Amino acid sequence: MSTHDSFLRVGMVGYAFMGAAHSQAWRTVHRVYDLPARVRMALICGRDEPKVADAADRLGWDGHTTDWRRLVESDDIDVVDICTPGDSHCEIAIAALAAGKHVLCEKPLANTVEEARRMAAAAATARASGVRAMCGFNYRRVPAVALMRRLVADGRLGEIRHVRAVYLQDWIVDPQFPLVWRMQKDRAGSGALGDIGAHIIDLTQYVTGQLITGVSAVTETFVKQRPLPAGSSGLAAQADGDGRATGPVTVDDAAVFLARLDGGALATYEATRFATGRKNALRVEINGSLGSVAFDLERLNELEFYDASRPGPEQGFSRILVTEPEHPYLSAWWPPGHIIGYEHSFTHQMRDFVEAVATGADPAPSFTDALQVQLVLDAVSRSAERAAWTEVAPVLAELPA
Ligand code: SOE
């Protein structure tokens, strides 16, 4: 176990939305759960010195740096947490693993299959010396999602026939919303597909235990040119009718696809940033031969369950309030009925990661699991380009022997 005086010393790269969410979880996790190692928030890294100094102070980090290489090579760091845009995941993760640091990397794992493959290979090599790597698909750790998985694994749904998953946001409906990094292919890899589609791909595969084998997809970029963000450089600029500098949106705004899963289920997926009025609506419904479950992230303390084995007159969807101590992750929180929120999924993620690292177990999802999601994303993009059914390459073929 690579802990120091039973402390795991964390260095985090990035301090925006995900950096803040991860910081909140690192601050909390060993105070909520009884863990084999406590967490020390040692070092935070960002490119802008005054901003990263402020972030360190605000988010509770002991020190800050503008040099991620210094962070990954430091003898005083055990874990590197990567919360940067996708274009730097591969380089930072591979350097950190080579330096013997355990790595937690935000989703999607990388911007391309080629990068994800190199990351998974580096993680496999590092694992031989006890170094662990995990990808941050935090929604796996929502208690109601973990309960769905348990119900499926216990056979309560029988044979799974249908998976219906959507992830709907609306934050760029306004065409004047600026061309931030999430709309640039070289920074983000893809748009709604990789950012939020990746979540529903991972979540549905996790819950059903089935992998996507092929897809038929359409994608669309509804607003093709947007105003440049203040202070941006390096983007190919044009001018709009009012003389403001604009640049091209190089990713999808929405991706819709159907899929086959290897256990025989049929699935449909929709990921969009143009669902006006829908802020962060991740919804999943799964129908099996013996029952169904339905989950909505905007009501994350609840799970709808239809149990077809109940007597006819009693049948119907029931609403489980997922706040009991027997429910996944909840024994350490509040008394039943005292609900939790979005940030708890990250605390649960850190709990599982710290436990795995400190006890020498493999955390999940591994980089190989995340590579498999990347292969699905890639198949979706290629299917949309070719307007044709596209098989998902098997993940093992992607890894070196
Ligand atoms: C995008 O808007 C985003 O912040 C994703 O990047 C996160 O992964 C998702 O949890 C919420 O939406």
Side-chain angles (χ1 to χ4, degrees), residues 17-18 106-108 136 138-139 167 169 171 181-182 194-196 199 273 279-280 282 297 342 345-346:
F17 176 20
M18 272 312 111
E106 255 306 315
K107 48 52 62 178
N138 60 300
Y139 294 134
Y167 199 158
Q169 297 183 341
W171 56 281
W181 69 267
R182 286 181 198 273
D195 186 26
I196 53 179
H199 274 302
R273 294 165 168 166
K279 304 300 167 186
N280 202 38
L282 186 169
L297 182 67
Y342 171 71
S345 64
F346 294 96

PDB file of all heavy atoms in Angstrom, residues 17-18 106-108 136 138-139 167 169 171 181-182 194-196 199 273 279-280 282 297 342 345-346, ligand 1:
ATOM      1  N   PHE A  17     -15.092  23.155 -12.481  1.00  0.00           N
ATOM      2  CA  PHE A  17     -16.281  22.461 -11.960  1.00  0.00           C
ATOM      3  C   PHE A  17     -15.912  21.098 -11.350  1.00  0.00           C
ATOM      4  O   PHE A  17     -16.200  20.816 -10.173  1.00  0.00           O
ATOM      5  CB  PHE A  17     -17.281  22.322 -13.106  1.00  0.00           C
ATOM      6  CG  PHE A  17     -18.538  21.547 -12.823  1.00  0.00           C
ATOM      7  CD1 PHE A  17     -18.994  21.328 -11.530  1.00  0.00           C
ATOM      8  CD2 PHE A  17     -19.296  21.051 -13.879  1.00  0.00           C
ATOM      9  CE1 PHE A  17     -20.159  20.611 -11.286  1.00  0.00           C
ATOM     10  CE2 PHE A  17     -20.458  20.339 -13.654  1.00  0.00           C
ATOM     11  CZ  PHE A  17     -20.882  20.110 -12.355  1.00  0.00           C
ATOM     12  N   MET A  18     -15.232  20.247 -12.143  1.00  0.00           N
ATOM     13  CA  MET A  18     -14.908  18.903 -11.615  1.00  0.00           C
ATOM     14  C   MET A  18     -13.889  18.981 -10.491  1.00  0.00           C
ATOM     15  O   MET A  18     -13.958  18.219  -9.521  1.00  0.00           O
ATOM     16  CB  MET A  18     -14.390  17.990 -12.725  1.00  0.00           C
ATOM     17  CG  MET A  18     -15.461  17.252 -13.460  1.00  0.00           C
ATOM     18  SD  MET A  18     -16.667  16.432 -12.379  1.00  0.00           S
ATOM     19  CE  MET A  18     -18.114  17.405 -12.704  1.00  0.00           C
ATOM     20  N   GLU A 106     -10.781  11.818 -14.678  1.00  0.00           N
ATOM     21  CA  GLU A 106     -12.173  12.147 -15.041  1.00  0.00           C
ATOM     22  C   GLU A 106     -12.561  11.498 -16.380  1.00  0.00           C
ATOM     23  O   GLU A 106     -11.717  11.181 -17.198  1.00  0.00           O
ATOM     24  CB  GLU A 106     -12.349  13.670 -15.129  1.00  0.00           C
ATOM     25  CG  GLU A 106     -13.098  14.277 -13.967  1.00  0.00           C
ATOM     26  CD  GLU A 106     -14.464  13.639 -13.696  1.00  0.00           C
ATOM     27  OE1 GLU A 106     -15.240  13.397 -14.633  1.00  0.00           O
ATOM     28  OE2 GLU A 106     -14.756  13.355 -12.525  1.00  0.00           O
ATOM     29  N   LYS A 107     -13.842  11.338 -16.568  1.00  0.00           N
ATOM     30  CA  LYS A 107     -14.379  10.796 -17.816  1.00  0.00           C
ATOM     31  C   LYS A 107     -14.560  11.907 -18.843  1.00  0.00           C
ATOM     32  O   LYS A 107     -14.652  13.058 -18.413  1.00  0.00           O
ATOM     33  CB  LYS A 107     -15.717  10.099 -17.598  1.00  0.00           C
ATOM     34  CG  LYS A 107     -16.762  10.840 -16.782  1.00  0.00           C
ATOM     35  CD  LYS A 107     -17.154  12.235 -17.099  1.00  0.00           C
ATOM     36  CE  LYS A 107     -17.782  12.531 -18.431  1.00  0.00           C
ATOM     37  NZ  LYS A 107     -18.158  13.979 -18.551  1.00  0.00           N
ATOM     38  N   PRO A 108     -14.682  11.633 -20.127  1.00  0.00           N
ATOM     39  CA  PRO A 108     -14.291  10.359 -20.724  1.00  0.00           C
ATOM     40  C   PRO A 108     -12.786  10.204 -20.600  1.00  0.00           C
ATOM     41  O   PRO A 108     -12.066  11.195 -20.519  1.00  0.00           O
ATOM     42  CB  PRO A 108     -14.738  10.506 -22.179  1.00  0.00           C
ATOM     43  CG  PRO A 108     -14.744  11.967 -22.455  1.00  0.00           C
ATOM     44  CD  PRO A 108     -15.101  12.620 -21.155  1.00  0.00           C
ATOM     45  N   GLY A 136     -13.292   8.213 -13.521  1.00  0.00           N
ATOM     46  CA  GLY A 136     -14.316   8.787 -12.656  1.00  0.00           C
ATOM     47  C   GLY A 136     -15.712   8.854 -13.261  1.00  0.00           C
ATOM     48  O   GLY A 136     -16.203   9.947 -13.538  1.00  0.00           O
ATOM     49  N   ASN A 138     -18.770   8.992 -12.021  1.00  0.00           N
ATOM     50  CA  ASN A 138     -19.307   9.160 -10.658  1.00  0.00           C
ATOM     51  C   ASN A 138     -20.743   8.660 -10.492  1.00  0.00           C
ATOM     52  O   ASN A 138     -21.135   8.271  -9.389  1.00  0.00           O
ATOM     53  CB  ASN A 138     -19.239  10.633 -10.229  1.00  0.00           C
ATOM     54  CG  ASN A 138     -20.023  11.544 -11.145  1.00  0.00           C
ATOM     55  OD1 ASN A 138     -19.737  11.614 -12.346  1.00  0.00           O
ATOM     56  ND2 ASN A 138     -21.009  12.233 -10.611  1.00  0.00           N
ATOM     57  N   TYR A 139     -21.531   8.640 -11.587  1.00  0.00           N
ATOM     58  CA  TYR A 139     -22.946   8.270 -11.395  1.00  0.00           C
ATOM     59  C   TYR A 139     -23.130   6.806 -11.011  1.00  0.00           C
ATOM     60  O   TYR A 139     -24.189   6.428 -10.521  1.00  0.00           O
ATOM     61  CB  TYR A 139     -23.774   8.613 -12.640  1.00  0.00           C
ATOM     62  CG  TYR A 139     -23.861  10.101 -12.890  1.00  0.00           C
ATOM     63  CD1 TYR A 139     -23.650  10.634 -14.157  1.00  0.00           C
ATOM     64  CD2 TYR A 139     -24.167  10.985 -11.848  1.00  0.00           C
ATOM     65  CE1 TYR A 139     -23.724  11.999 -14.381  1.00  0.00           C
ATOM     66  CE2 TYR A 139     -24.245  12.354 -12.069  1.00  0.00           C
ATOM     67  CZ  TYR A 139     -24.019  12.853 -13.338  1.00  0.00           C
ATOM     68  OH  TYR A 139     -24.105  14.206 -13.550  1.00  0.00           O
ATOM     69  N   TYR A 167     -29.641  11.530 -21.627  1.00  0.00           N
ATOM     70  CA  TYR A 167     -28.970  12.527 -20.794  1.00  0.00           C
ATOM     71  C   TYR A 167     -29.193  13.872 -21.482  1.00  0.00           C
ATOM     72  O   TYR A 167     -28.641  14.132 -22.553  1.00  0.00           O
ATOM     73  CB  TYR A 167     -27.483  12.209 -20.627  1.00  0.00           C
ATOM     74  CG  TYR A 167     -26.834  12.903 -19.430  1.00  0.00           C
ATOM     75  CD1 TYR A 167     -25.678  12.409 -18.857  1.00  0.00           C
ATOM     76  CD2 TYR A 167     -27.385  14.064 -18.871  1.00  0.00           C
ATOM     77  CE1 TYR A 167     -25.092  13.027 -17.756  1.00  0.00           C
ATOM     78  CE2 TYR A 167     -26.806  14.684 -17.778  1.00  0.00           C
ATOM     79  CZ  TYR A 167     -25.658  14.176 -17.232  1.00  0.00           C
ATOM     80  OH  TYR A 167     -25.073  14.812 -16.156  1.00  0.00           O
ATOM     81  N   GLN A 169     -29.413  18.067 -21.450  1.00  0.00           N
ATOM     82  CA  GLN A 169     -29.042  19.366 -20.878  1.00  0.00           C
ATOM     83  C   GLN A 169     -29.468  20.454 -21.865  1.00  0.00           C
ATOM     84  O   GLN A 169     -29.836  20.155 -23.009  1.00  0.00           O
ATOM     85  CB  GLN A 169     -27.525  19.439 -20.638  1.00  0.00           C
ATOM     86  CG  GLN A 169     -27.014  18.417 -19.627  1.00  0.00           C
ATOM     87  CD  GLN A 169     -25.520  18.551 -19.339  1.00  0.00           C
ATOM     88  OE1 GLN A 169     -24.770  19.152 -20.104  1.00  0.00           O
ATOM     89  NE2 GLN A 169     -25.078  17.964 -18.232  1.00  0.00           N
ATOM     90  N   TRP A 171     -27.692  23.877 -21.733  1.00  0.00           N
ATOM     91  CA  TRP A 171     -26.896  25.059 -21.415  1.00  0.00           C
ATOM     92  C   TRP A 171     -26.329  25.796 -22.612  1.00  0.00           C
ATOM     93  O   TRP A 171     -25.808  26.897 -22.467  1.00  0.00           O
ATOM     94  CB  TRP A 171     -25.781  24.711 -20.412  1.00  0.00           C
ATOM     95  CG  TRP A 171     -24.857  23.600 -20.829  1.00  0.00           C
ATOM     96  CD1 TRP A 171     -25.111  22.265 -20.754  1.00  0.00           C
ATOM     97  CD2 TRP A 171     -23.540  23.726 -21.356  1.00  0.00           C
ATOM     98  NE1 TRP A 171     -24.031  21.548 -21.214  1.00  0.00           N
ATOM     99  CE2 TRP A 171     -23.054  22.415 -21.583  1.00  0.00           C
ATOM    100  CE3 TRP A 171     -22.695  24.802 -21.667  1.00  0.00           C
ATOM    101  CZ2 TRP A 171     -21.781  22.147 -22.111  1.00  0.00           C
ATOM    102  CZ3 TRP A 171     -21.431  24.533 -22.178  1.00  0.00           C
ATOM    103  CH2 TRP A 171     -20.987  23.224 -22.397  1.00  0.00           C
ATOM    104  N   TRP A 181     -14.282  25.415 -24.248  1.00  0.00           N
ATOM    105  CA  TRP A 181     -13.485  24.250 -24.657  1.00  0.00           C
ATOM    106  C   TRP A 181     -14.340  23.015 -24.927  1.00  0.00           C
ATOM    107  O   TRP A 181     -13.982  22.172 -25.764  1.00  0.00           O
ATOM    108  CB  TRP A 181     -12.395  23.941 -23.619  1.00  0.00           C
ATOM    109  CG  TRP A 181     -12.883  23.419 -22.291  1.00  0.00           C
ATOM    110  CD1 TRP A 181     -13.170  24.146 -21.187  1.00  0.00           C
ATOM    111  CD2 TRP A 181     -13.136  22.044 -21.938  1.00  0.00           C
ATOM    112  NE1 TRP A 181     -13.593  23.324 -20.161  1.00  0.00           N
ATOM    113  CE2 TRP A 181     -13.569  22.023 -20.595  1.00  0.00           C
ATOM    114  CE3 TRP A 181     -13.028  20.825 -22.626  1.00  0.00           C
ATOM    115  CZ2 TRP A 181     -13.908  20.841 -19.936  1.00  0.00           C
ATOM    116  CZ3 TRP A 181     -13.374  19.648 -21.971  1.00  0.00           C
ATOM    117  CH2 TRP A 181     -13.800  19.665 -20.645  1.00  0.00           C
ATOM    118  N   ARG A 182     -15.484  22.908 -24.262  1.00  0.00           N
ATOM    119  CA  ARG A 182     -16.320  21.719 -24.461  1.00  0.00           C
ATOM    120  C   ARG A 182     -16.910  21.647 -25.867  1.00  0.00           C
ATOM    121  O   ARG A 182     -17.512  20.644 -26.238  1.00  0.00           O
ATOM    122  CB  ARG A 182     -17.454  21.690 -23.431  1.00  0.00           C
ATOM    123  CG  ARG A 182     -17.001  21.315 -22.019  1.00  0.00           C
ATOM    124  CD  ARG A 182     -18.193  21.277 -21.071  1.00  0.00           C
ATOM    125  NE  ARG A 182     -17.804  21.340 -19.679  1.00  0.00           N
ATOM    126  CZ  ARG A 182     -17.480  20.275 -18.927  1.00  0.00           C
ATOM    127  NH1 ARG A 182     -17.536  19.079 -19.446  1.00  0.00           N
ATOM    128  NH2 ARG A 182     -17.134  20.423 -17.672  1.00  0.00           N
ATOM    129  N   GLY A 194     -19.341  12.572 -25.925  1.00  0.00           N
ATOM    130  CA  GLY A 194     -18.324  12.138 -24.952  1.00  0.00           C
ATOM    131  C   GLY A 194     -18.569  12.690 -23.566  1.00  0.00           C
ATOM    132  O   GLY A 194     -18.244  12.048 -22.564  1.00  0.00           O
ATOM    133  N   ASP A 195     -19.140  13.887 -23.493  1.00  0.00           N
ATOM    134  CA  ASP A 195     -19.306  14.549 -22.203  1.00  0.00           C
ATOM    135  C   ASP A 195     -20.416  13.899 -21.375  1.00  0.00           C
ATOM    136  O   ASP A 195     -20.213  13.544 -20.217  1.00  0.00           O
ATOM    137  CB  ASP A 195     -19.610  16.030 -22.451  1.00  0.00           C
ATOM    138  CG  ASP A 195     -19.656  16.837 -21.169  1.00  0.00           C
ATOM    139  OD1 ASP A 195     -19.012  16.442 -20.185  1.00  0.00           O
ATOM    140  OD2 ASP A 195     -20.357  17.866 -21.145  1.00  0.00           O
ATOM    141  N   ILE A 196     -21.582  13.732 -21.981  1.00  0.00           N
ATOM    142  CA  ILE A 196     -22.701  13.180 -21.207  1.00  0.00           C
ATOM    143  C   ILE A 196     -23.174  11.819 -21.752  1.00  0.00           C
ATOM    144  O   ILE A 196     -23.647  10.984 -20.987  1.00  0.00           O
ATOM    145  CB  ILE A 196     -23.867  14.199 -21.081  1.00  0.00           C
ATOM    146  CG1 ILE A 196     -24.317  14.731 -22.445  1.00  0.00           C
ATOM    147  CG2 ILE A 196     -23.463  15.336 -20.166  1.00  0.00           C
ATOM    148  CD1 ILE A 196     -25.489  15.720 -22.368  1.00  0.00           C
ATOM    149  N   HIS A 199     -21.520   9.016 -19.958  1.00  0.00           N
ATOM    150  CA  HIS A 199     -22.109   8.631 -18.673  1.00  0.00           C
ATOM    151  C   HIS A 199     -23.194   7.560 -18.855  1.00  0.00           C
ATOM    152  O   HIS A 199     -23.238   6.585 -18.109  1.00  0.00           O
ATOM    153  CB  HIS A 199     -22.764   9.843 -18.006  1.00  0.00           C
ATOM    154  CG  HIS A 199     -21.836  10.691 -17.185  1.00  0.00           C
ATOM    155  ND1 HIS A 199     -21.113  10.197 -16.127  1.00  0.00           N
ATOM    156  CD2 HIS A 199     -21.554  12.026 -17.241  1.00  0.00           C
ATOM    157  CE1 HIS A 199     -20.417  11.183 -15.569  1.00  0.00           C
ATOM    158  NE2 HIS A 199     -20.652  12.301 -16.229  1.00  0.00           N
ATOM    159  N   ARG A 273     -27.335  18.664 -25.628  1.00  0.00           N
ATOM    160  CA  ARG A 273     -27.226  19.917 -24.879  1.00  0.00           C
ATOM    161  C   ARG A 273     -28.292  20.895 -25.361  1.00  0.00           C
ATOM    162  O   ARG A 273     -28.217  22.085 -25.087  1.00  0.00           O
ATOM    163  CB  ARG A 273     -25.840  20.518 -25.111  1.00  0.00           C
ATOM    164  CG  ARG A 273     -24.715  19.672 -24.537  1.00  0.00           C
ATOM    165  CD  ARG A 273     -23.360  20.086 -25.074  1.00  0.00           C
ATOM    166  NE  ARG A 273     -22.284  19.471 -24.308  1.00  0.00           N
ATOM    167  CZ  ARG A 273     -21.014  19.435 -24.705  1.00  0.00           C
ATOM    168  NH1 ARG A 273     -20.654  19.975 -25.856  1.00  0.00           N
ATOM    169  NH2 ARG A 273     -20.091  18.882 -23.947  1.00  0.00           N
ATOM    170  N   LYS A 279     -32.132  20.486 -17.484  1.00  0.00           N
ATOM    171  CA  LYS A 279     -30.849  20.987 -16.990  1.00  0.00           C
ATOM    172  C   LYS A 279     -29.795  19.899 -16.848  1.00  0.00           C
ATOM    173  O   LYS A 279     -28.657  20.073 -17.241  1.00  0.00           O
ATOM    174  CB  LYS A 279     -31.046  21.696 -15.638  1.00  0.00           C
ATOM    175  CG  LYS A 279     -32.058  22.813 -15.684  1.00  0.00           C
ATOM    176  CD  LYS A 279     -31.650  23.882 -16.676  1.00  0.00           C
ATOM    177  CE  LYS A 279     -32.771  24.846 -16.967  1.00  0.00           C
ATOM    178  NZ  LYS A 279     -32.427  25.808 -18.039  1.00  0.00           N
ATOM    179  N   ASN A 280     -30.185  18.812 -16.245  1.00  0.00           N
ATOM    180  CA  ASN A 280     -29.214  17.716 -16.058  1.00  0.00           C
ATOM    181  C   ASN A 280     -30.004  16.420 -15.890  1.00  0.00           C
ATOM    182  O   ASN A 280     -29.865  15.716 -14.908  1.00  0.00           O
ATOM    183  CB  ASN A 280     -28.322  17.989 -14.844  1.00  0.00           C
ATOM    184  CG  ASN A 280     -27.021  17.216 -14.908  1.00  0.00           C
ATOM    185  OD1 ASN A 280     -26.427  17.060 -15.978  1.00  0.00           O
ATOM    186  ND2 ASN A 280     -26.576  16.699 -13.785  1.00  0.00           N
ATOM    187  N   LEU A 282     -30.632  12.981 -16.469  1.00  0.00           N
ATOM    188  CA  LEU A 282     -30.125  11.655 -16.838  1.00  0.00           C
ATOM    189  C   LEU A 282     -31.196  10.658 -16.401  1.00  0.00           C
ATOM    190  O   LEU A 282     -31.471  10.518 -15.206  1.00  0.00           O
ATOM    191  CB  LEU A 282     -28.796  11.391 -16.121  1.00  0.00           C
ATOM    192  CG  LEU A 282     -28.009  10.118 -16.467  1.00  0.00           C
ATOM    193  CD1 LEU A 282     -26.624  10.182 -15.856  1.00  0.00           C
ATOM    194  CD2 LEU A 282     -28.689   8.843 -16.030  1.00  0.00           C
ATOM    195  N   LEU A 297     -32.012  11.212 -12.515  1.00  0.00           N
ATOM    196  CA  LEU A 297     -31.003  11.885 -11.679  1.00  0.00           C
ATOM    197  C   LEU A 297     -31.564  13.112 -10.958  1.00  0.00           C
ATOM    198  O   LEU A 297     -31.086  13.479  -9.883  1.00  0.00           O
ATOM    199  CB  LEU A 297     -29.801  12.291 -12.543  1.00  0.00           C
ATOM    200  CG  LEU A 297     -28.641  12.953 -11.816  1.00  0.00           C
ATOM    201  CD1 LEU A 297     -27.944  11.983 -10.858  1.00  0.00           C
ATOM    202  CD2 LEU A 297     -27.622  13.525 -12.798  1.00  0.00           C
ATOM    203  N   TYR A 342     -26.072  15.443  -5.471  1.00  0.00           N
ATOM    204  CA  TYR A 342     -25.101  15.206  -6.543  1.00  0.00           C
ATOM    205  C   TYR A 342     -23.697  14.976  -5.997  1.00  0.00           C
ATOM    206  O   TYR A 342     -22.993  14.062  -6.419  1.00  0.00           O
ATOM    207  CB  TYR A 342     -25.143  16.434  -7.459  1.00  0.00           C
ATOM    208  CG  TYR A 342     -24.092  16.513  -8.521  1.00  0.00           C
ATOM    209  CD1 TYR A 342     -24.119  15.663  -9.628  1.00  0.00           C
ATOM    210  CD2 TYR A 342     -23.069  17.466  -8.449  1.00  0.00           C
ATOM    211  CE1 TYR A 342     -23.158  15.757 -10.624  1.00  0.00           C
ATOM    212  CE2 TYR A 342     -22.114  17.564  -9.437  1.00  0.00           C
ATOM    213  CZ  TYR A 342     -22.157  16.709 -10.523  1.00  0.00           C
ATOM    214  OH  TYR A 342     -21.207  16.812 -11.503  1.00  0.00           O
ATOM    215  N   SER A 345     -22.150  11.555  -4.839  1.00  0.00           N
ATOM    216  CA  SER A 345     -21.648  10.527  -5.771  1.00  0.00           C
ATOM    217  C   SER A 345     -20.120  10.588  -5.837  1.00  0.00           C
ATOM    218  O   SER A 345     -19.450   9.565  -5.992  1.00  0.00           O
ATOM    219  CB  SER A 345     -22.269  10.688  -7.159  1.00  0.00           C
ATOM    220  OG  SER A 345     -21.893  11.916  -7.741  1.00  0.00           O
ATOM    221  N   PHE A 346     -19.559  11.800  -5.705  1.00  0.00           N
ATOM    222  CA  PHE A 346     -18.094  11.930  -5.734  1.00  0.00           C
ATOM    223  C   PHE A 346     -17.477  11.435  -4.421  1.00  0.00           C
ATOM    224  O   PHE A 346     -16.410  10.823  -4.428  1.00  0.00           O
ATOM    225  CB  PHE A 346     -17.698  13.387  -5.998  1.00  0.00           C
ATOM    226  CG  PHE A 346     -18.100  13.863  -7.369  1.00  0.00           C
ATOM    227  CD1 PHE A 346     -19.286  14.556  -7.566  1.00  0.00           C
ATOM    228  CD2 PHE A 346     -17.310  13.588  -8.472  1.00  0.00           C
ATOM    229  CE1 PHE A 346     -19.667  14.977  -8.823  1.00  0.00           C
ATOM    230  CE2 PHE A 346     -17.680  14.004  -9.740  1.00  0.00           C
ATOM    231  CZ  PHE A 346     -18.867  14.693  -9.918  1.00  0.00           C
TER     232      PHE A 346
HETATM  233  C1  SOE B   1     -21.339  18.826 -18.610  1.00  0.00           C
HETATM  234  O1  SOE B   1     -22.193  19.865 -18.556  1.00  0.00           O
HETATM  235  C2  SOE B   1     -21.238  18.097 -17.291  1.00  0.00           C
HETATM  236  O2  SOE B   1     -20.658  18.920 -16.351  1.00  0.00           O
HETATM  237  C3  SOE B   1     -20.403  16.840 -17.446  1.00  0.00           C
HETATM  238  O3  SOE B   1     -19.099  17.132 -17.860  1.00  0.00           O
HETATM  239  C4  SOE B   1     -20.411  16.074 -16.185  1.00  0.00           C
HETATM  240  O4  SOE B   1     -19.682  14.875 -16.348  1.00  0.00           O
HETATM  241  C5  SOE B   1     -21.834  15.767 -15.812  1.00  0.00           C
HETATM  242  O5  SOE B   1     -21.855  15.082 -14.595  1.00  0.00           O
HETATM  243  C6  SOE B   1     -22.655  17.025 -15.692  1.00  0.00           C
HETATM  244  O6  SOE B   1     -22.538  17.738 -16.880  1.00  0.00           O
END
